[in-house]
CSV table of all heavy atoms in Angstrom, one decimal:
chain,number,residue,atom,x,y,z
A,18,TRP,N,-14.9,2.1,3.8
A,18,TRP,CA,-14.1,3.2,3.3
A,18,TRP,C,-14.4,3.4,1.8
A,18,TRP,O,-14.9,2.5,1.1
A,18,TRP,CB,-12.6,2.8,3.4
A,18,TRP,CG,-12.2,2.5,4.8
A,18,TRP,CD1,-11.9,1.3,5.3
A,18,TRP,CD2,-12.0,3.5,5.9
A,18,TRP,NE1,-11.5,1.4,6.7
A,18,TRP,CE2,-11.6,2.7,7.0
A,18,TRP,CE3,-12.2,4.8,6.0
A,18,TRP,CZ2,-11.4,3.3,8.2
A,18,TRP,CZ3,-11.9,5.5,7.2
A,18,TRP,CH2,-11.5,4.7,8.3
A,19,PRO,N,-14.1,4.6,1.3
A,19,PRO,CA,-14.0,4.8,-0.2
A,19,PRO,C,-13.1,3.8,-0.8
A,19,PRO,O,-12.1,3.4,-0.1
A,19,PRO,CB,-13.5,6.2,-0.4
A,19,PRO,CG,-13.6,6.9,0.9
A,19,PRO,CD,-13.6,5.8,2.0
A,20,ASP,N,-13.3,3.3,-2.0
A,20,ASP,CA,-12.3,2.5,-2.7
A,20,ASP,C,-10.9,3.2,-2.6
A,20,ASP,O,-10.8,4.3,-3.0
A,20,ASP,CB,-12.7,2.2,-4.1
A,20,ASP,CG,-13.9,1.3,-4.3
A,20,ASP,OD1,-14.7,1.3,-3.3
A,20,ASP,OD2,-14.1,0.7,-5.4
A,21,HIS,N,-9.9,2.5,-2.1
A,21,HIS,CA,-8.6,3.1,-2.0
A,21,HIS,C,-7.5,2.0,-2.0
A,21,HIS,O,-7.7,0.9,-1.7
A,21,HIS,CB,-8.5,3.9,-0.7
A,21,HIS,CG,-8.5,3.0,0.5
A,21,HIS,ND1,-9.7,2.5,1.1
A,21,HIS,CD2,-7.6,2.5,1.4
A,21,HIS,CE1,-9.4,1.7,2.1
A,21,HIS,NE2,-8.1,1.7,2.3
A,22,CYS,N,-6.3,2.5,-2.4
A,22,CYS,CA,-5.1,1.6,-2.4
A,22,CYS,C,-5.4,0.3,-3.1
A,22,CYS,O,-5.0,-0.8,-2.6
A,22,CYS,CB,-4.6,1.4,-1.0
A,22,CYS,SG,-4.0,3.0,-0.2
A,23,VAL,N,-6.0,0.3,-4.3
A,23,VAL,CA,-6.3,-0.9,-5.0
A,23,VAL,C,-5.0,-1.3,-5.7
A,23,VAL,O,-4.2,-0.5,-6.3
A,23,VAL,CB,-7.4,-0.6,-6.1
A,23,VAL,CG1,-7.5,-1.9,-7.0
A,23,VAL,CG2,-8.7,-0.3,-5.4
A,24,GLN,N,-4.7,-2.6,-5.6
A,24,GLN,CA,-3.4,-3.2,-6.0
A,24,GLN,C,-3.0,-2.7,-7.4
A,24,GLN,O,-3.8,-2.8,-8.3
A,24,GLN,CB,-3.5,-4.7,-6.0
A,24,GLN,CG,-3.7,-5.3,-4.6
A,24,GLN,CD,-4.0,-6.8,-4.6
A,24,GLN,OE1,-3.9,-7.4,-5.7
A,24,GLN,NE2,-4.2,-7.3,-3.4
A,25,GLY,N,-1.8,-2.2,-7.5
A,25,GLY,CA,-1.3,-1.8,-8.9
A,25,GLY,C,-1.7,-0.5,-9.4
A,25,GLY,O,-1.3,-0.1,-10.4
A,26,THR,N,-2.6,0.2,-8.6
A,26,THR,CA,-3.0,1.6,-9.0
A,26,THR,C,-2.0,2.6,-8.5
A,26,THR,O,-1.2,2.4,-7.6
A,26,THR,CB,-4.4,1.9,-8.5
A,26,THR,OG1,-4.4,2.0,-7.1
A,26,THR,CG2,-5.4,0.8,-9.0
A,27,GLN,N,-2.2,3.8,-9.1
A,27,GLN,CA,-1.3,5.0,-8.7
A,27,GLN,C,-1.7,5.3,-7.3
A,27,GLN,O,-0.8,5.8,-6.5
A,27,GLN,CB,-1.6,6.2,-9.6
A,27,GLN,CG,-0.6,7.3,-9.4
A,27,GLN,CD,0.9,6.9,-9.6
A,27,GLN,OE1,1.2,6.1,-10.4
A,27,GLN,NE2,1.7,7.6,-8.8
A,28,GLY,N,-2.9,5.2,-6.9
A,28,GLY,CA,-3.3,5.5,-5.5
A,28,GLY,C,-2.7,4.6,-4.5
A,28,GLY,O,-2.4,5.0,-3.3
A,29,ALA,N,-2.3,3.4,-4.8
A,29,ALA,CA,-1.7,2.5,-3.9
A,29,ALA,C,-0.2,2.7,-3.8
A,29,ALA,O,0.5,2.2,-2.9
A,29,ALA,CB,-2.0,1.0,-4.3
A,30,ALA,N,0.4,3.4,-4.8
A,30,ALA,CA,1.8,3.7,-4.8
A,30,ALA,C,2.2,4.6,-3.6
A,30,ALA,O,1.4,5.4,-3.2
A,30,ALA,CB,2.2,4.3,-6.1
A,31,PHE,N,3.5,4.4,-3.2
A,31,PHE,CA,4.0,5.3,-2.2
A,31,PHE,C,4.0,6.7,-2.7
A,31,PHE,O,4.1,7.0,-4.0
A,31,PHE,CB,5.4,4.9,-1.8
A,31,PHE,CG,5.4,3.6,-1.0
A,31,PHE,CD1,6.1,2.5,-1.5
A,31,PHE,CD2,4.9,3.5,0.3
A,31,PHE,CE1,6.1,1.3,-0.8
A,31,PHE,CE2,4.9,2.3,1.0
A,31,PHE,CZ,5.6,1.2,0.5
A,32,HIS,N,3.9,7.7,-1.8
A,32,HIS,CA,4.1,9.1,-2.2
A,32,HIS,C,5.4,9.3,-3.0
A,32,HIS,O,6.4,8.7,-2.6
A,32,HIS,CB,4.1,10.0,-1.0
A,32,HIS,CG,4.1,11.5,-1.3
A,32,HIS,ND1,5.2,12.2,-1.8
A,32,HIS,CD2,3.0,12.4,-1.3
A,32,HIS,CE1,4.8,13.4,-2.0
A,32,HIS,NE2,3.5,13.6,-1.7
A,33,PRO,N,5.3,10.0,-4.2
A,33,PRO,CA,6.5,10.0,-5.0
A,33,PRO,C,7.8,10.5,-4.4
A,33,PRO,O,8.9,10.2,-4.8
A,33,PRO,CB,6.0,10.8,-6.2
A,33,PRO,CG,4.8,11.6,-5.8
A,33,PRO,CD,4.2,10.7,-4.7
A,34,ASP,N,7.6,11.4,-3.4
A,34,ASP,CA,8.8,11.9,-2.7
A,34,ASP,C,9.3,11.1,-1.6
A,34,ASP,O,10.3,11.4,-1.0
A,34,ASP,CB,8.5,13.4,-2.2
A,34,ASP,CG,8.2,14.3,-3.4
A,34,ASP,OD1,8.7,14.1,-4.5
A,34,ASP,OD2,7.4,15.3,-3.2
A,35,LEU,N,8.6,10.1,-1.2
A,35,LEU,CA,9.0,9.2,-0.1
A,35,LEU,C,10.2,8.3,-0.5
A,35,LEU,O,10.2,7.7,-1.5
A,35,LEU,CB,7.8,8.4,0.4
A,35,LEU,CG,8.1,7.4,1.6
A,35,LEU,CD1,8.3,8.3,2.9
A,35,LEU,CD2,7.0,6.4,1.8
A,36,ARG,N,11.2,8.3,0.4
A,36,ARG,CA,12.3,7.3,0.2
A,36,ARG,C,11.7,5.9,0.4
A,36,ARG,O,11.1,5.6,1.4
A,36,ARG,CB,13.4,7.6,1.2
A,36,ARG,CG,14.2,8.8,0.9
A,36,ARG,CD,15.3,9.0,2.0
A,36,ARG,NE,16.1,7.9,2.2
A,36,ARG,CZ,17.1,7.8,3.2
A,36,ARG,NH1,17.2,8.8,4.0
A,36,ARG,NH2,17.8,6.7,3.3
A,37,THR,N,12.0,5.0,-0.5
A,37,THR,CA,11.6,3.6,-0.4
A,37,THR,C,12.8,2.7,-0.4
A,37,THR,O,12.6,1.5,-0.7
A,37,THR,CB,10.6,3.3,-1.6
A,37,THR,OG1,11.3,3.5,-2.8
A,37,THR,CG2,9.3,4.1,-1.5
A,38,ASP,N,13.9,3.2,0.0
A,38,ASP,CA,15.1,2.4,0.0
A,38,ASP,C,15.3,1.7,1.4
A,38,ASP,O,16.4,1.5,1.9
A,38,ASP,CB,16.3,3.2,-0.3
A,38,ASP,CG,16.5,4.4,0.6
A,38,ASP,OD1,15.5,4.9,1.2
A,38,ASP,OD2,17.6,4.9,0.7
A,39,GLY,N,14.2,1.3,2.0
A,39,GLY,CA,14.2,0.6,3.3
A,39,GLY,C,14.6,-0.8,3.2
A,39,GLY,O,15.0,-1.3,2.1
A,40,ASP,N,14.5,-1.6,4.3
A,40,ASP,CA,14.9,-3.0,4.3
A,40,ASP,C,13.8,-3.9,3.9
A,40,ASP,O,14.0,-5.0,3.5
A,40,ASP,CB,15.3,-3.3,5.7
A,40,ASP,CG,16.6,-2.5,6.1
A,40,ASP,OD1,16.4,-1.3,6.5
A,40,ASP,OD2,17.7,-3.0,6.0
A,41,LEU,N,12.5,-3.5,4.1
A,41,LEU,CA,11.4,-4.4,3.9
A,41,LEU,C,10.1,-3.6,3.6
A,41,LEU,O,9.9,-2.5,4.2
A,41,LEU,CB,11.1,-5.2,5.2
A,41,LEU,CG,10.0,-6.2,5.2
A,41,LEU,CD1,10.3,-7.4,4.2
A,41,LEU,CD2,9.7,-6.8,6.6
A,42,ILE,N,9.3,-4.1,2.7
A,42,ILE,CA,8.0,-3.6,2.5
A,42,ILE,C,7.0,-4.6,2.9
A,42,ILE,O,7.0,-5.8,2.3
A,42,ILE,CB,7.8,-3.1,1.0
A,42,ILE,CG1,8.7,-1.9,0.7
A,42,ILE,CG2,6.3,-2.7,0.8
A,42,ILE,CD1,8.7,-1.6,-0.8
A,43,ILE,N,6.1,-4.3,3.8
A,43,ILE,CA,5.0,-5.3,4.2
A,43,ILE,C,3.7,-4.8,3.6
A,43,ILE,O,3.3,-3.6,3.8
A,43,ILE,CB,4.8,-5.3,5.7
A,43,ILE,CG1,6.0,-6.0,6.4
A,43,ILE,CG2,3.5,-5.9,6.1
A,43,ILE,CD1,5.8,-7.5,6.5
A,44,ARG,N,3.1,-5.6,2.8
A,44,ARG,CA,1.8,-5.3,2.2
A,44,ARG,C,0.7,-6.0,3.0
A,44,ARG,O,0.8,-7.1,3.5
A,44,ARG,CB,1.7,-5.8,0.7
A,44,ARG,CG,2.6,-4.9,-0.2
A,44,ARG,CD,2.6,-5.4,-1.6
A,44,ARG,NE,3.1,-4.4,-2.5
A,44,ARG,CZ,3.5,-4.6,-3.7
A,44,ARG,NH1,3.4,-5.8,-4.2
A,44,ARG,NH2,4.0,-3.6,-4.5
A,45,LYS,N,-0.4,-5.2,3.2
A,45,LYS,CA,-1.5,-5.7,4.1
A,45,LYS,C,-2.8,-5.3,3.5
A,45,LYS,O,-2.9,-4.5,2.6
A,45,LYS,CB,-1.4,-5.1,5.5
A,45,LYS,CG,-1.4,-3.5,5.5
A,45,LYS,CD,-1.0,-3.0,6.9
A,45,LYS,CE,-1.0,-1.5,6.9
A,45,LYS,NZ,-2.4,-0.9,6.8
A,46,GLY,N,-3.9,-6.0,4.0
A,46,GLY,CA,-5.2,-5.8,3.4
A,46,GLY,C,-5.5,-6.4,2.1
A,46,GLY,O,-6.4,-6.0,1.4
A,47,PHE,N,-4.7,-7.4,1.7
A,47,PHE,CA,-4.8,-8.0,0.4
A,47,PHE,C,-5.8,-9.2,0.4
A,47,PHE,O,-6.1,-9.8,-0.6
A,47,PHE,CB,-3.4,-8.5,-0.1
A,47,PHE,CG,-2.7,-9.4,0.8
A,47,PHE,CD1,-2.9,-10.7,0.9
A,47,PHE,CD2,-1.6,-8.8,1.5
A,47,PHE,CE1,-2.2,-11.5,1.7
A,47,PHE,CE2,-0.9,-9.6,2.4
A,47,PHE,CZ,-1.2,-11.0,2.5
A,48,ARG,N,-6.2,-9.7,1.6
A,48,ARG,CA,-7.2,-10.7,1.7
A,48,ARG,C,-8.6,-10.1,1.5
A,48,ARG,O,-9.0,-9.2,2.2
A,48,ARG,CB,-7.2,-11.4,3.0
A,48,ARG,CG,-5.9,-12.2,3.2
A,48,ARG,CD,-5.8,-12.9,4.6
A,48,ARG,NE,-4.6,-13.8,4.7
A,48,ARG,CZ,-3.4,-13.4,5.1
A,48,ARG,NH1,-3.2,-12.1,5.4
A,48,ARG,NH2,-2.4,-14.3,5.1
A,49,PRO,N,-9.4,-10.6,0.5
A,49,PRO,CA,-10.6,-9.9,0.1
A,49,PRO,C,-11.7,-9.7,1.2
A,49,PRO,O,-12.4,-8.7,1.2
A,49,PRO,CB,-11.2,-10.7,-1.0
A,49,PRO,CG,-10.0,-11.5,-1.6
A,49,PRO,CD,-9.1,-11.7,-0.4
A,50,ALA,N,-11.7,-10.7,2.1
A,50,ALA,CA,-12.8,-10.7,3.1
A,50,ALA,C,-12.4,-10.0,4.5
A,50,ALA,O,-13.3,-10.0,5.4
A,50,ALA,CB,-13.2,-12.1,3.4
A,51,ILE,N,-11.2,-9.5,4.6
A,51,ILE,CA,-10.8,-8.9,5.9
A,51,ILE,C,-9.9,-7.8,5.7
A,51,ILE,O,-9.0,-7.8,4.8
A,51,ILE,CB,-10.2,-10.0,6.8
A,51,ILE,CG1,-9.9,-9.5,8.2
A,51,ILE,CG2,-8.9,-10.6,6.1
A,51,ILE,CD1,-9.5,-10.6,9.2
A,52,ASP,N,-10.1,-6.7,6.5
A,52,ASP,CA,-9.3,-5.5,6.4
A,52,ASP,C,-8.1,-5.7,7.3
A,52,ASP,O,-8.0,-6.6,8.1
A,52,ASP,CB,-10.1,-4.3,6.8
A,52,ASP,CG,-9.5,-3.0,6.2
A,52,ASP,OD1,-8.6,-3.1,5.4
A,52,ASP,OD2,-10.1,-1.9,6.6
């Protein structure tokens, strides 16, 4: 893929209009060697 959703960048942030007041956020793809 093109470089995308890099930790801490604006691209990785949720869409600004999306409600994020849910119960849980699961982050994935953070292990360097596996998608």
Side-chain angles (χ1 to χ4, degrees):
W18 304 107
D20 290 24
H21 67 281
C22 296
V23 173
Q24 296 173 4
T26 65
Q27 190 58 32
F31 291 115
H32 188 283
D34 295 334
L35 181 71
R36 285 177 55 185
T37 56
D38 56 337
D40 297 81
L41 179 70
I42 294 171
I43 286 274
R44 287 177 166 166
K45 58 191 182 65
F47 54 80
R48 292 178 174 87
I51 186 167
D52 204 7

